[in-house]
Amino acid sequence: MNIEGNGHMNQLIWLTGLSGSGKTTIANALKPLLPNCYILDGDILRKGINQDLGFSIEDRIEVGRRIGEIGKILLDANHHVIVASISPHRATRDKVRFLIGEPYMEVYVQCPLEVCEQRDPKGLYKKVRAGEIRNFTGIDSPYEEPVHPEIVVETNTLSVNECVERIMKYVENNA
């Protein structure tokens, strides 16, 4: 499956879910299937454009706003955009949906907390449980699950390829 540059509207695919749910893995698997595609990864943006922000509610809202604005600029420049960001607050994702409009596609990368903790690719859950990190989404800071995402992919039961196939099928049917 590959979307050709045939005049179809570019999409902003917003992957949201807990740390360790598979957002970045799915984003990297999707990228080769979308022409002119750019990934906005929350972890990478935290080291750059969002390095001045912490993890307060206000700062998390600002992180989401900045990612949405960058995504809009990239869409306007004729790119497909994949956002891989926890983005724990529903209101933030809803504001980005309003900003972007029809090209916005929310994908809930759903995975039970226990499985995310077992995966713990960055060792963050271990640090949280040891008291080294506070305000961690899903543990001592809330994650508000999407109410009406366009797609839900359950990464504890689906392979990366199956997740990508479901997302691409939606993209192709709604391009």
Side-chain angles (χ1 to χ4, degrees):
M1 281 183 281
N2 196 317
I3 301 289
E4 299 299 327
N6 56 5
H8 288 303
M9 180 179 2
N10 290 334
Q11 296 266 254
L12 185 142
I13 301 169
W14 193 287
L15 304 171
T16 178
L18 295 174
S19 180
S21 61
K23 298 176 301 296
T24 299
T25 301
I26 292 170
N28 287 325
L30 275 172
K31 184 179 179 183
L33 304 177
L34 297 165
N36 281 344
C37 184
Y38 196 90
I39 296 174
L40 295 173
D41 187 279
D43 291 337
I44 293 169
L45 293 171
R46 277 272 182 196
K47 295 173 186 170
I49 193 134
N50 292 324
Q51 68 181 320
D52 60 324
L53 299 172
F55 293 91
S56 68
I57 290 172
E58 296 79 15
D59 283 356
R60 290 175 193 249
I61 290 169
E62 178 61 12
V63 165
R65 187 193 71 76
R66 288 180 186 182
I67 294 172
E69 292 289 348
I70 295 166
K72 186 171 183 343
I73 290 167
L74 290 168
L75 280 172
D76 289 346
N78 201 32
H79 290 276
H80 283 281
V81 181
I82 302 169
V83 173
S85 173
I86 293 170
S87 44
H89 300 286
R90 194 175 299 124
T92 301
R93 297 187 307 265
D94 288 347
K95 284 180 185 175
V96 174
R97 181 186 292 276
F98 180 77
L99 171 72
I100 300 299
E102 191 176 329
Y104 180 89
M105 175 183 163
E106 189 170 80
V107 177
Y108 179 21
V109 183
Q110 187 178 47
C111 188
L113 177 62
E114 312 79 60
V115 175
C116 292
E117 282 195 73
Q118 289 168 3
R119 291 177 180 168
D120 203 9
K122 300 170 205 144
L124 297 175
Y125 287 103
K126 186 177 178 183
K127 289 180 180 180
V128 170
R129 297 302 185 190
E132 298 172 30
I133 298 176
R134 304 179 85 160
N135 296 323
F136 194 79
T137 302
I139 305 291
D140 56 354
S141 184
Y143 176 78
E144 298 172 359
E145 294 184 357
V147 177
H148 302 291
E150 280 72 17
I151 301 276
V152 176
V153 291
E154 297 169 339
T155 60
N156 61 314
T157 60
L158 298 173
S159 70
V160 173
N161 286 340
E162 289 171 318
C163 293
V164 167
E165 285 175 14
R166 287 185 181 193
I167 294 167
M168 286 304 297
K169 185 178 219 175
Y170 185 91
V171 169
E172 291 170 349
N173 289 336
N174 294 280

